[in-house]
Amino acid sequence: MQQQEAHSLSEQIAKHISEQIIRGELVEGERIQELRIASELDVSRGSVREALLLLERTQLIEIFPRRGAIVSEMSAMQVRALFDLTSLLLGQMVHRMAETWRSHEAERIQLLLEQLEAETRQGHIEKFYDLIFQGMAQQQEMVGNLYLMRYYQELLPSLRRSYFLTLNISRRELQESFELFKLVTEAILIRKSHQATLFMEDFCRHLRNLVLESLIRMKQIELAWARRSRR
């Protein structure tokens, strides 16, 4: 990794580690090996430690004295808590968007809906949700609330980790997600801010349930393998 300004470098390292966690290459309870990351990316151990401090804010890892950084557990309780907060933040964001959008921004929202429809037809689940959640992170001007956007940005890695579990859902379930989010965008475009908030809550609730179902299946498979290995 090329040397850059210190803060930018630590962000790049944090992104690299977060992707490994999101995609399950680093699993819950696993210790982050600072030396391995430093060697892998050709950076200093100090830069890795700075990255881990950044990553701790996203709730993907926990840092313990003398134990170092450990990948956070993903439990049903944590998924519910994550989506409770996500629903609150996104509800406020779409409420503001419905009140403040201008003509060029309305065109951008319509384009997003068209892109989502295309990803739905092709069954690209990860791209579909990335478009929504990362797209919402780019609406600073319409939302107009720096603190709200900052909290949302810190949630994004944990959100990606959660919906990465849904990559095996059915086309019907993805279509349902699209229809729910379409209601959000339609409410924004007719400036029905309260409706946009309620529809966003429905969308988040639907995705939360998909994540919980996938998490339960994953835990059942892990338990079955653990029992087989003890025989």
Side-chain angles (χ1 to χ4, degrees):
M1 182 174 289
Q2 296 179 346
Q3 291 299 317
Q4 298 184 19
E5 188 271 324
H7 185 64
S8 174
L9 178 60
S10 62
E11 287 180 337
Q12 290 182 68
I13 298 168
K15 181 174 176 58
H16 173 82
I17 299 170
S18 71
E19 285 297 318
Q20 292 188 330
I21 296 171
I22 288 165
R23 298 183 178 279
E25 296 166 22
L26 290 170
V27 299
E28 61 181 48
E30 185 172 351
R31 185 171 176 272
I32 307 292
Q33 301 290 336
E34 293 179 8
L35 284 175
R36 179 186 67 80
I37 298 292
S39 175
E40 190 176 287
L41 300 180
D42 191 23
V43 296
S44 71
R45 194 168 179 179
S47 295
V48 175
R49 286 175 177 164
E50 289 178 14
L52 292 175
L53 290 173
L54 291 175
L55 203 55
E56 188 178 27
R57 298 177 193 169
T58 70
Q59 311 302 316
L60 289 180
I61 67 167
E62 297 177 82
I63 299 177
F64 300 95
R66 295 182 297 278
R67 289 180 61 198
I70 307 294
V71 178
S72 298
E73 178 190 13
M74 182 184 283
S75 67
M77 182 177 71
Q78 287 163 320
V79 168
R80 290 189 183 94
L82 172 64
F83 278 94
D84 282 348
L85 184 53
T86 299
S87 181
L88 285 172
L89 294 178
L90 286 176
Q92 286 297 308
M93 289 163 67
V94 298
H95 190 282
R96 290 285 298 147
M97 289 168 66
E99 293 179 337
T100 64
W101 64 261
R102 292 170 291 180
S103 57
H104 70 282
E105 291 164 333
E107 291 171 6
R108 204 161 63 217
I109 293 169
Q110 191 60 48
L111 175 60
L112 171 62
L113 195 61
E114 292 170 7
Q115 292 172 324
L116 289 171
E117 188 171 18
E119 299 300 348
T120 301
R121 285 197 305 268
Q122 297 176 58
H124 293 163
I125 297 168
E126 185 179 7
K127 288 182 181 179
F128 174 86
Y129 288 117
D130 278 347
L131 274 172
I132 292 174
F133 290 108
Q134 296 189 37
M136 291 297 295
Q138 296 167 10
Q139 307 308 321
Q140 297 95 329
E141 188 175 348
M142 271 196 286
V143 174
N145 187 318
L146 175 65
Y147 300 104
L148 184 59
M149 298 304 294
R150 185 176 297 167
Y151 282 124
Y152 178 68
Q153 288 277 4
E154 290 182 355
L155 279 184
L156 270 179
S158 289
L159 272 172
R160 288 196 65 224
R161 185 189 186 191
S162 69
Y163 66 71
F164 193 81
L165 294 178
T166 69
L167 297 191
N168 292 320
I169 64 172
S170 69
R171 190 71 63 89
R172 177 188 59 79
E173 290 166 324
L174 183 59
Q175 181 67 38
E176 188 174 349
S177 289
F178 171 73
E179 296 298 337
L180 287 169
F181 193 76
K182 183 179 179 182
L183 291 174
V184 176
T185 60
E186 289 173 346
I188 291 173
L189 292 174
I190 60 173
R191 299 198 186 277
K192 297 289 186 179
S193 54
H194 181 64
Q195 285 185 10
T197 299
L198 293 177
F199 288 141
M200 180 56 84
E201 289 172 359
D202 289 341
F203 172 79
C204 288
R205 191 179 302 112
H206 173 71
L207 179 54
R208 180 203 65 191
N209 290 341
L210 293 178
V211 172
L212 287 172
E213 290 168 10
S214 298
L215 182 64
I216 290 169
R217 286 197 297 269
M218 184 185 76
K219 297 291 187 183
Q220 288 173 338
I221 291 169
E222 289 177 352
L223 181 59
W225 274 105
R227 285 173 175 168
R228 285 186 62 181
S229 66
R230 287 197 296 267
R231 290 177 183 173

